[in-house]
Each structure stands twice: as C-alpha cells, then as structure tokens.
C-alpha cells in the first residue's frame, strides 16, 4: 500500500513528528477549508529525509506493519491547516532552519542529560557575561557620545557668544586699550577652552584604565571555569596559575613587595591626576600634585568643590587609604620578620676569636662555667652556641644556670652543624676554638654525627682559624676521626677519661679532688710558654725559677714540639723550647732569680711492692671492656675483678668479646661474674662486700640518658653497700673527723669508708653536695670533669697530649705519696727543699695536703718559707708508673 495514498485508512508511522514536504507546500490550497490532506513522511528530496539520514533514524522498511496494535497506541496524527498564501523561497528556507530534528526518545533523554551538565552553565554564563559587557559598553558609548555632543554644542555657543562680544566691544571702543586687552583675554580663554577635549580624553582614559583590570579578572575567571578537555569537563584554573606566578615573583624577588607598592602608588596618582584634570580647569601638573596630596593625606579632599571633583577626590582618597594600609602591612611584616629572625637565631654572628660550641648536652653548663672562668683574666669573652633547638629555649636554659659568667657573653643560634650555611652564620672560620659536643643516647650514632660535623667543618672554603675539640663516646672511633681531621682535631673520649679517672681514684683515694683542681680553671691549671731568658739552664734549676708556678715538663722544639713530662734534671733548655707549668693563670707567673735552697739529704726508702687487690665493678656500660684492659694494666698480678650487674653471664661474655676484649690476654686480673640488681639489697648481700679493697659504681647505660635517674640509682647502690658493710665490719673506736657521731647511720657508714674505697660516677653536680656532706664516698663528677677537659683543650690544643699521658697506662701519672718518703716527723723544710728531695726519686711535687685538711693545695705560695711537716701529711706528685 502506498504511503502517499489518500485512501489509506491509517496514517504513516515512520516518525513521531511530521513535517510538510516541499510538494505539499507548493500545492494549491484545497477547495474545502475544513478538509485535511494526509502527506508522505518520506519524500525523495525533502530536507527531512536529509536530516533523518544524518541523524541515523530508522528506515521505513524497519517499521512494523501498521496493523500492529503496539504502534497503533503510540501513533499520532498531525494535521496542518492549508496555507492561504504560498510562501516565498526565503520563507521556506527559514522554515527549514527552524525545524527541529526528530530523534528517538532515548537519545532525546541523553541529550537532555548532557544539556544539564557544565555546558548549560557555560552557555548561560557566556550569555550573562556578554549581555553585561554589552550593556556596559552601550552605556559607556552613549555617555561618551552624549558628552561629546554637548561639548560641541557648548563650544559652538561659546564661540558665537565670544564673536558677538568681540564685535560689540570692537564697535563701541576700538581705541580703548583696556577693551583690547579684555578682548585678547577672552580670546585666550576661548583658546584655553579648546583644551576641554583633552580633559574629556583624559577622563575617558582614566576610566578605561580602571575598567581594564576588572574586565581582565572577569575574563580570567571565565576562562578558568570554562575550559574542557575532550568530553570530560576540567576546570583549568587560570586565576590560580596567575596567583601562583605572582606568589613566585613575590617570593623570588626580595624587593617585589615594595616595588608593587610603588607601582600601585604611581598608578593611583596618575589615574587620579588624569581624572582630576578631566573635571577641573587646573593644569595636568597641578592635578597630579593634587592627586598625590589626596593619596598622602585622605583629609585633603574636604576642600573640593563640585560634584565631579568631589567624586574624583573621594576615589583618590580611598586609593590612598588602601595604599597606606598596604604600606603599614609591609612595614609591619618586615619588622615582625626581622624580630622573628632575631628571636629564632637566624642572623649572622659578626665576631672573631670567639669560642664556638656545636651541639647541646648536660655538659654544656659546666663547659660554659669553665670558659667563663678562663676568660675572666681577659675581661670576658664571646661564646657562641649553635644547636638544633629553639633559640629562646636555649637562652632560657642558660639563664637558669647558677654561676657568674664573669663578663663572658653567650650567643645562641639555631642551626645544624652539618649545613655549611649555618656554620657560616656563626662565623666558624673566625673562631679560635670549636667544641663539638657528643649527643645523648646511642654512642655509635653520636660519634657518626661528630664525624659528619668534622667533615662539614673541614669543608668550609674560608678555612678554619682555630682547632676542633671533639667529644667522643667510643674509644674505637678515635682513630677514624683523627684520620679525617688530622692535626686540626683533638679528641676527648668521655667514657674513657672517666673510666681511667675512676680506676686511678680507686687506687689512690682523694685523687678526684686533685683532678678537679687541675682540670678546672678556678685554681691552677697547665700552661705552656716560651721564656728566652731561661735558655741554657738545666731543668733542675728551672724547677725553682718560678715563685708562682711549678714546672712540670718541656716542649722540645727539636722533637717536633713533643711535650716531655718530668724530664731529667740534666736537660738543658734550648732555643725554641717552651716550659710546661702549673699556675693560677697565664699571666700570673714569670721566672725570677734562683732562690737559696738548702741541700736536702737523700732518703733512700724502698718502694713497697704492689699488692694484689680485689675490686668490685657495679653496673654495665658499653665501654666496660676498655676499663677492664686499663685495670689489668694498673693492678698487680693476682688481682680479682668482680663484675656485678643484671646482664646475663653468657650475654655478658659475648658483649665483652664483641667489644674487642681478649680474655686470654688478661695478665694481672681474674674476672668473676655475678648477676643481680645493684639496687636490690638481697642481691648485694650475696656479695662479700667487706672484703673488697675498692668498689666502682658506674652510671648504668640503661639510665645514662637521664642524669637524675642515673645518680639516684648510683646513690641507692652506694647507701646499700655502705649499710651492709657497716653491719659486717667491726666498729672502730677511733673518732671520725666528720661532723656525724658513730651512733648515727652516717657515722657507721663513715666507719665503713675507712676500710674500703667506693668511687661513684656522678652525672648531676647537685648530687655532689650530698656525697661531700656525708663523706661516705670518694666521688667522681664525670660530666664536670669531661667539661673541664674540653675547656682546657679548647683553650690550648697542646694540653691534650699532657692529659693523654697522665691518663695512659704508661708514662707519668698523678700520685698521692705519704710524707715519710721525703721527710721525717717534725722536720722543718720549705716547699722548694721538699721539691728538690723528691727529684732524687725523679718526681715533681706539685702540692700537698696536711693531715687535718679536707682539700689539697696545688702550687702553694711562699715556696721558700719553712714549715713543720707531719708524717700524716701527703704530697701530690707527678711520677712514673709504679711498675716502671
């Protein structure tokens, strides 16, 4: 059946929507206006067919038969009224363009979904923006056109009026000079009125320049929210990119902010001046100056008259207030940043010949105290501390230290010694000494950081003026550090120094106080100086040439500057040699004429043989293997070393071997291992505490990081041991020299202290007072002694060689001798005479302690005066090791 047949009982079902074909449009109107014509939906050359093909509509062959009831329900009948007038070709073309393509319902729904996406917002935004811009431009153009029109009319009227006035006045008084001048003035006014065009142009330019930033920001915002990639809409935020560029510019350029403020100020002045020039009769220069006055002082606009000048002046005043606010913000930020930089320690230290301390530890307080005492003779000094801490915290901690800085100023800076920029910030190349403190915690990590710090110091391009003093935690790492630093680096191994001191003090009670006096700057210390007037003198004469010092050795120039302690009496001082002395200060001594000293008779007393000792070592730390080696060197053969700690015996032996200890090479001592807790009484009672000659209490490594906890544990162990000893040892009827009676528990412990020596390693100086008052232990203040050694080596690099020899197993050492080795009971001798008598044994007496005194006197005054001595007195000497 033909789809175009009028006799067909049912219409076509090819589409849901029907459009008239061109043949239908060109047909003549039907005779009856009420009848309707059914037309074909698929004409051969109709535009609908083209649209249907382009949009992939289903062909008519795929349409089911019209008798299907399914499509009978959805079928529509579209009727068009017969047109009364035949449309023209142009109207046909427009009707074709206005048609909407027929699409399936599914595609229609998907199209509606897409249209509801970002495209709809973009189109709407574009239309809104376009309409807004069009309205603004139209209004602006209309205003400008109207302004120009009115301006031209005013000019024409003024021209006509001027001409009429000129003609009238010329006619009335041609010979009148005043009239002539008036005419010329009006002509000038007329010419000046010709500048109104420039004023209008200036006003337009100022408005245009003001609108450009607004339009630019609108455009940037529009582009940022409307760009897309493919079918997926992506927001390319151009405004954020612009903000990023501005941020980079302000960050990279140091003067970007002041420059931006200057540009903004100039823009406001120029735009305000142009606008003011457009609304007033003043010249452009006057308008620019007036604009500057409005910017500088917003109250100046109060004198403006007229609507135009007032609007412009108010606008310029608003801009001036904004610029003033920006300027205040910049100035405030700059001042705050500067103060913040000063507060956080970011500024550079402009000093020279200062002492630089890198790091922070519990030893810093004692170190600063010793440096302050050393600088007192110079009127004070500068000490710079740089650590990875906040500057304010460091300054608060230093302010809490209870000692007098004696004119020394401490400057704190925050930074890392591993960063060259931070090292330059503290003028590292101009420091006379650099002290690197060990970190609290793991010894290997601390020494590794110290090694990296030394590498950073050596890498300073400007070089170093002073030497480097490094505190190490492990003796095994000293070789590596010396390999890296060479002669520029001096090392102080804290645990090794303390261990050797404890061993020396265990062998000779009272030696800890001697070392405190010699290492500290409060009393007497070592100094090295050249004295040309002593060249050619023998050492035995040099010994008595200093009334205020005691010579101890010679720095021999011919041996490459090697220091020889306790040289032979026959050594002659050569040119270039220097003398090592013990004196109160570097400027407190000088050689004098030789005193008259009576020759002392020689006393030949055989040195008693060394006896085996029984020593208890309480606690555990990682360098205990080195202490065992030193003990084996100091003690006599057949001695016993009992080790009591909570480390299991099998693990203890493994740790000792891992630390480098060869148990088979121990010659003089025999190890006895006992496992237990040093603060539990029943564990201590299992030991024969009354039979030990000396007991060493170490700061256990489990609590070594906390000085208070370590001292509390050591003090508890000391009290328990003394109490157990007092119960086991027989009571003595001898009255103790202390202030406590025998009936008190401290008195009983003092009785026990006469039988055995206990050396406690103390970390906190506040614990020192407790032990000093009770007199139940010969203490060792480890942190303070290490700080003293660091300060002394920092003041003079050569002293480190002296200390190393005095701490070593071989060579010379400090010893405490009984008076019966040098004199008889009640004998009167001067200190010089005792010194000469001790030289017969090749010993150098540096001080003494009388029987009723608590402290020894090092480098005594009035060495030529005689005094009566007692056999209960003791002398402090520098002598060779007893077994040599």
């Amino acid at each position: 059946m033909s789809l175009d047949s009028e006799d067909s009982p049912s219409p076509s079902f090819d589409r849901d929507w029907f459009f008239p074909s061109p043949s239908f449009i060109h047909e003549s109107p039907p005779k009856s206006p009420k009848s309707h014509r059914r037309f074909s939906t698929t004409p051969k050359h109709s535009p609908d067919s083209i649209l249907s093909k382009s949009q992939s509509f289903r062909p008519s062959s795929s349409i089911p038969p019209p008798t299907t009831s399914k499509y009978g329900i959805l079928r529509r009948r579209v009727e068009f009224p017969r047109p009364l007038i035949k449309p023209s070709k142009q109207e046909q073309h427009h009707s074709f363009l206005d048609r909407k393509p027929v699409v399936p319902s599914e595609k229609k729904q998907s199209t509606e979904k897409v249209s509801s996406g970002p495209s709809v917002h973009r189109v709407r935004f574009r239309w809104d923006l376009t309409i807004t811009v069009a309205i603004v431009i139209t209004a602006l153009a209309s205003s400008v056109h109207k302004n120009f029109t009115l301006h031209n009319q005013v000019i024409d009227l003024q021209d006509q009026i001027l001409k009429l006035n000129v003609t009238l006045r010329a006619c009335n008084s041609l010979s009148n000079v005043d009239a002539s001048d008036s005419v010329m003035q009006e002509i000038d006014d007329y010419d000046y009125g010709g500048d109104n065009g420039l004023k209008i142009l200036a006003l337009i330019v100022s408005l245009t320049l003001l609108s450009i930033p607004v339009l630019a920001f609108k455009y940037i915002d529009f582009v940022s929210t409307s760009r897309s990639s493919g079918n997926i809409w992506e927001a390319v935020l151009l405004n954020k990119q612009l903000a990023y560029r501005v941020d980079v510019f302000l960050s990279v350029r140091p003067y970007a902010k002041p420059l931006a403020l200057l540009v903004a100020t100039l823009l406001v002045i120029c735009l305000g001046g142009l606008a003011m020039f457009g609304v007033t009769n003043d010249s452009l220069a006057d308008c620019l100056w007036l604009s500057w006055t409005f910017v500088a002082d917003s109250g100046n606009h109060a004198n403006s008259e007229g609507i135009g000048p007032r609007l412009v002046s108010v606008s310029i005043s608003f801009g001036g207030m904004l610029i003033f606010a920006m300027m205040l913000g910049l100035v405030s930020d700059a001042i705050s940043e500067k103060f913040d930089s000063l507060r956080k320690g970011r500024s550079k230290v402009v000093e020279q010949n200062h002492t630089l301390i890198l790091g922070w530890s519990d030893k810093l307080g004692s170190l600063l105290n010793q440096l302050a005492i050393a600088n007192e003779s110079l009127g004070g000094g500068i000490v710079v501390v740089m650590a990875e801490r906040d500057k304010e915290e460091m300054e608060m901690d230093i302010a809490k230290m209870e000692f007098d800085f004696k004119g020394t100023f401490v400057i704190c800076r925050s930074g890392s010694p591993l960063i060259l920029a931070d090292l330059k910030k503290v003028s590292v190349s101009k420091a006379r000494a650099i002290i690197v403190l060990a970190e609290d915690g793991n010894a290997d990590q601390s020494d590794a950081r110290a090694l990296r710090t030394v590498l950073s110091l050596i890498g300073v391009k400007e070089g170093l003026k002073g030497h480097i003093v490094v505190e190490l935690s492990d003796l095994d790492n000293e070789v590596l550090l010396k390999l890296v630093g060479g002669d520029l680096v001096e090392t102080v191994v804290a645990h090794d120094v303390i261990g050797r001191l404890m061993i020396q003090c265990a062998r000779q009670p009272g030696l800890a106080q001697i070392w405190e006096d010699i290492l500290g700057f409060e009393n007497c210390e070592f100094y090295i100086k050249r004295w040309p007037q002593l060249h050619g003198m023998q050492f035995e004469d040099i010994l008595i040439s200093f009334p205020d010092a005691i010579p101890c050795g010679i720095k021999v120039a011919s041996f490459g500057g090697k220091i020889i302690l306790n040289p032979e009496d026959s050594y002659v001082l050569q040119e270039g040699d220097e003398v090592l002395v013990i004196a109160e200060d570097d400027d407190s001594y000088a050689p004098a004429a030789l005193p008259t000293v009576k020759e002392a008779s020689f006393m030949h007393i055989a040195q008693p043989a060394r006896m085996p000792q029984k020593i208890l070592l309480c606690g555990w730390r990682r360098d205990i293997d080195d202490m065992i080696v030193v003990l084996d060197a100091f003690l006599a053969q057949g001695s016993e070393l009992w080790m009591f700690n909570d480390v299991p015996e099998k693990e203890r032996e493994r740790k000792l071997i891992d630390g480098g200890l060869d148990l088979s090479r121990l010659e003089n001592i025999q190890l006895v291992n006992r496992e237990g807790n040093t603060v539990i009484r029943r564990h201590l009672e299992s030991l024969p505490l009354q039979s030990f000659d000396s007991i060493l209490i170490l700061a256990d490594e489990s609590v070594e990081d906390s000085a208070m906890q370590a001292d509390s544990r050591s003090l508890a162990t000391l009290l328990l041991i003394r109490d157990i000893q007092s119960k086991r040892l027989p009571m003595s009827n001898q009255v103790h020299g202390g202030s406590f009676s025998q009936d008190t528990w401290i008195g009983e412990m003092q009785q026990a202290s006469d039988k055995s020596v206990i050396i406690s390693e103390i970390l906190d100086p506040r614990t020192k007072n407790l032990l000093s008052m009770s007199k139940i232990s010969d203490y060792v203040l480890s942190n303070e002694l290490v700080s003293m050694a660091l300060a002394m080596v920092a003041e003079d690099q050569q002293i480190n060689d002296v200390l190393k020899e005095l701490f070593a197993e071989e060579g010379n050492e400090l010893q405490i001798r009984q008076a019966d080795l040098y004199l008889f009971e009640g004998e009167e001798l001067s200190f010089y005479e005792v010194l000469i008598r001790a030289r017969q044994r090749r010993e150098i007496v540096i001080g003494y302690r009388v029987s009723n005194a608590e402290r020894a006197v090092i480098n005594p005054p009035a060495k030529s005066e005689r005094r009566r001595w007692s056999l209960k007195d003791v002398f402090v000497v520098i002598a060779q090791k007893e077994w040599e």
Side-chain angles (χ1 to χ4, degrees), residues 338-582:
K338 186 62 179 178
F339 276 101
D340 187 64
S341 176
L342 295 175
R343 181 179 61 83
K344 293 185 177 180
R346 297 173 183 171
S347 60
K348 184 177 180 180
V349 175
V350 186
E351 295 288 348
Q352 57 182 357
N353 294 327
H354 57 283
T355 302
L356 176 60
I357 301 177
L358 301 178
W360 188 280
S361 68
D362 295 335
K363 305 178 185 67
L364 182 64
S366 302
L367 180 59
L368 291 177
N369 186 22
Q370 295 301 318
L371 292 176
I373 297 173
N375 294 329
E376 184 180 7
S377 60
L378 302 176
I382 301 296
V383 179
V384 181
V385 180
M386 186 178 75
E388 297 182 30
R389 297 185 60 194
D390 186 73
K391 176 177 177 288
E392 291 184 336
E393 294 180 1
M394 292 189 287
E395 291 176 344
M396 290 178 61
D397 291 342
I398 293 175
K400 295 178 182 178
M401 297 178 180
E402 300 176 353
F403 58 84
D404 185 11
F405 286 94
K406 303 180 185 300
T408 296
F409 295 95
V410 181
I411 302 173
C412 298
R413 287 294 181 268
S414 297
S416 172
L418 306 179
I419 301 176
L420 290 177
D422 291 343
L423 291 176
K424 293 180 180 179
K425 183 173 62 176
V426 292
S427 299
V428 64
S429 60
K430 299 179 181 179
R432 64 184 179 92
I434 304 170
I435 303 176
V436 181
L437 295 179
E439 291 184 341
D440 298 330
N442 186 273
D444 290 334
Q445 293 180 0
S446 176
D447 291 350
R449 184 176 179 83
L451 178 61
R452 294 195 298 268
T453 302
V454 172
L455 290 174
S456 300
L457 293 172
I458 296 176
V460 176
K461 294 182 180 180
E462 295 81 1
L464 298 178
K465 178 181 178 180
H467 59 284
I468 306 172
V469 183
V470 183
E471 179 194 0
L472 293 178
S473 301
D474 195 339
L475 185 62
D476 298 334
N477 299 322
E478 184 180 15
V479 178
L480 181 59
L481 202 66
K482 294 290 290 185
L483 180 64
V484 172
D487 296 335
L488 191 64
V489 176
E490 295 293 337
T491 59
V492 176
V493 186
H495 288 307
D496 182 63
V497 170
I498 296 306
R500 293 174 184 273
L501 280 175
M502 293 184 69
I503 293 171
Q504 289 186 10
C505 295
R507 293 172 52 243
Q508 303 182 68
L511 200 59
Q513 178 258 320
I514 306 299
W515 271 113
E516 281 188 13
D517 292 343
I518 293 178
L519 289 178
F521 288 95
E522 293 182 354
N523 298 302
C524 296
E525 53 273 354
F526 291 105
Y527 293 101
I528 300 178
K529 190 178 293 186
R530 184 178 302 175
W531 301 99
Q533 61 267 41
L534 299 180
H535 291 166
M537 294 181 60
Q538 293 184 349
F539 184 74
E540 61 179 354
D541 295 330
I542 295 175
L543 276 174
I544 57 177
S545 297
F546 293 89
D548 300 316
I550 298 178
C552 302
I554 302 295
K555 181 181 178 181
V556 183
S558 58
F559 288 176
K562 181 180 179 181
I563 297 177
I564 299 178
L565 279 175
N566 190 17
E568 296 181 355
D569 289 343
S570 59
Y571 179 83
V572 178
L573 193 68
Q574 304 295 326
E575 184 178 359
D577 292 350
E578 300 180 27
V579 181
L580 171 69
V581 302
I582 294 180

Side-chain angles (χ1 to χ4, degrees), residues 719-770:
L719 294 175
L720 288 174
I721 291 176
R722 282 304 190 201
D723 185 56
I724 295 174
Q725 286 180 337
S726 64
K727 298 297 189 295
R728 294 180 180 180
L729 293 174
M731 292 296 297
S732 174
N733 294 326
Q734 182 180 0
V735 179
H736 201 275
S739 59
F740 300 95
S741 64
Q742 296 182 5
D743 296 334
T744 63
W745 63 275
I746 294 184
E748 294 177 356
M749 292 183 181
Q750 290 175 349
Q751 292 288 324
S753 65
D754 295 335
K755 304 296 182 181
S756 63
V757 178
I758 296 183
I759 306 299
S760 303
E761 181 180 7
I762 301 301
L763 303 181
D764 194 336
R766 289 172 291 186
T767 313
K768 170 185 176 181
N769 299 328
L770 298 176

Side-chain angles (χ1 to χ4, degrees), residues 103-177:
V103 295
S105 60
E106 296 179 356
K107 293 186 177 181
K108 184 178 180 180
Q109 295 177 357
S110 63
T111 304
E112 293 176 354
K113 291 181 180 180
V114 173
S115 64
S116 63
S119 62
V120 175
H121 299 286
R122 182 185 66 172
V123 173
R124 290 178 180 175
F125 181 77
R126 284 183 175 178
W127 277 108
D128 294 343
L129 181 62
T130 303
I131 292 172
T132 304
V133 173
I135 292 173
V136 172
I137 293 175
T138 302
L140 182 61
S142 177
S143 300
V144 172
H145 176 71
K146 186 175 181 180
N147 194 356
F148 273 105
T149 302
L150 294 175
H151 174 68
N152 292 332
Q153 293 177 2
V154 170
I155 291 176
D156 294 339
L157 293 174
Q158 289 178 352
D159 189 14
Q160 294 177 8
I161 293 172
L162 181 61
K163 289 180 179 180
L164 292 174
N165 290 333
V166 170
T167 303
L168 180 61
R169 293 187 181 183
C171 293
N172 293 333
S173 54
L174 293 175
S175 61
N176 192 342
V177 179

Side-chain angles (χ1 to χ4, degrees), residues 826-859:
E827 188 176 5
E828 290 188 0
L829 295 173
S830 67
F831 185 81
Y832 276 142
E833 292 173 347
V834 176
L835 182 63
I836 293 175
R837 188 171 291 183
R839 287 305 296 167
Q840 298 174 0
R841 304 170 54 87
R842 198 178 173 181
E843 298 174 350
I844 300 177
V845 180
I846 64 174
Y848 62 87
R849 186 182 68 187
V850 295
S851 58
N852 57 353
E854 295 183 358
R855 301 185 67 87
V857 179
I858 306 298
N859 184 27

